Amino acid sequence: YWSDELYKIFEHAPSQWQTSFFGFLRHGHPEDRATINALFKQTVKKGIPFQGEFRIIVGGGEVKYLQATGKPILDENGRILKIFGTIADITAQKLIEQALRVSEARYHGLFENAPIVISEQDFSGIKAYLDNLRSQTSALDIRQYIKTHPQVVRDCLALLKVHDINQAGLNLFRASDKQQVIDHLDQIIREESYPLFEEELINIYNGDYQFIVEGINFTLDGEARDVQIRWLVASGSATNLDNTIVTITDITERNRIMQELARSEEKFRGIVEQSLDGIVITNRQGIILEWNLGMERMSGLTRADAIGRFSWEVQFQQMVDEDRQKTSLEEVKARVLDYLSNLDSSLYGKVI
């Protein structure tokens, strides 16, 4: 299943493109296809959630930058049933980062009217604070130290300065002007936001000045928003971090969809498992993903013996001798694949 937004990103109409991983991979930038393949391969083989960035080529050669996040859905035995996730177009953010590296003038030309939130922040006081902490304590585990000394977060937050924020930032935080954001950071970064800010501090302490973290910020009228923060240090500022470029993406809707998908999946699995009717679920390649108790009772074939096999092999095996003599495995396979492609087949209604 692909959402309408995903079809828009790839610039295809749903009726004109059959979704598959290989179709997805064909759109990958030649230099990034190995990255894309490795990203999803680790999920399929090891069940590891994925998050990564890569480029695709669409239309007449336009390059887009995407960020993919997702996780596998496992059955009770730890086997992967399906994978779901989200893909976001981060082209605007990447262009901002590239412009900053190439030319300050070009960057400032994009800053105000960029469709993403961009904020110029001064972390020099925070860096000095953390450097002082390092000098006082050798071999410090900064994550553990912050956990046992929560005052560090409050101290550092008091040292944070915002020099500028663009119009998209004012819209996100529902501020009337830039000064309102600058003067009320404590309303945007509240106690519920501390885990996000802690991750920023840990990255700074460890010398990682280009990173992505996710957490909660608040609008000035008090609404919590899930955000993704990307960090980039401006040229000449790596020593004291007095000019960092922070881009912020509102991922509230993305997270809501992920949560709804998880709840829907759990509810659906409960219905499938408890149904007295036989239910078989396959992917578009015909591999059996689900074989419920109803199918076990009807067919005599256990779930463990069915899942992972091609559905036409199981169907051919389950046919009575008389029907099996009238057809062949290849004919059953052709009808199954025809049905999966067109949802219309002479096989429908008489699988077993």
Side-chain angles (χ1 to χ4, degrees), residues 122-290:
D122 181 351
F123 278 78
S124 59
I126 293 173
K127 187 175 188 303
Y129 180 101
L130 295 175
D131 286 346
N132 182 59
L133 196 61
R134 190 196 317 274
S135 68
Q136 294 177 5
T137 311
S138 61
L140 179 66
D141 181 338
I142 187 62
R143 186 179 296 277
Q144 184 61 31
Y145 186 86
I146 290 176
K147 185 176 180 180
T148 56
H149 298 78
Q151 184 62 36
V152 170
V153 176
R154 291 187 285 272
D155 290 345
C156 288
L157 186 55
L159 296 170
L160 176 61
K161 298 176 183 177
V162 174
H163 291 318
D164 203 356
I165 188 167
N166 67 349
Q167 184 60 47
L170 302 187
N171 297 340
L172 173 61
F173 297 120
R174 298 173 190 164
S176 57
D177 54 51
K178 297 182 180 185
Q179 197 61 44
Q180 195 176 18
V181 173
I182 293 170
D183 292 342
H184 297 91
L185 280 180
D186 59 332
Q187 294 183 31
I188 294 172
I189 307 175
R190 305 186 185 190
E191 189 169 348
E192 295 90 337
S193 308
Y194 285 1
L196 170 62
F197 193 59
E198 287 174 15
E199 291 302 318
E200 291 186 76
L201 298 180
I202 290 166
N203 277 284
I204 294 169
Y205 184 88
N206 291 330
D208 185 358
Y209 299 153
Q210 188 167 353
F211 56 84
I212 302 172
V213 291
E214 295 183 2
I216 298 172
N217 277 173
F218 286 82
T219 62
L220 290 178
D221 56 6
E223 182 182 352
R225 306 298 295 178
D226 295 333
V227 295
Q228 181 185 86
I229 290 179
R230 301 169 66 93
W231 239 65
L232 182 67
V233 178
S235 176
S237 298
T239 302
N240 59 8
L241 303 185
D242 62 342
N243 187 15
T244 62
I245 309 303
V246 178
T247 62
I248 305 172
T249 304
D250 187 343
I251 58 172
T252 305
E253 182 65 11
R254 185 202 78 180
N255 287 354
R256 182 191 65 79
I257 291 172
M258 292 286 282
Q259 291 166 3
E260 287 187 359
L261 282 172
R263 286 194 294 268
S264 175
E265 178 68 23
E266 183 178 352
K267 181 179 179 181
F268 176 71
R269 284 188 57 77
I271 293 172
V272 169
E273 290 170 359
Q274 299 302 318
S275 176
L276 296 177
D277 295 327
I279 298 177
V280 181
I281 300 175
T282 76
N283 61 16
R284 294 185 76 98
Q285 288 71 47
I287 297 174
I288 297 173
L289 304 178
E290 183 58 74

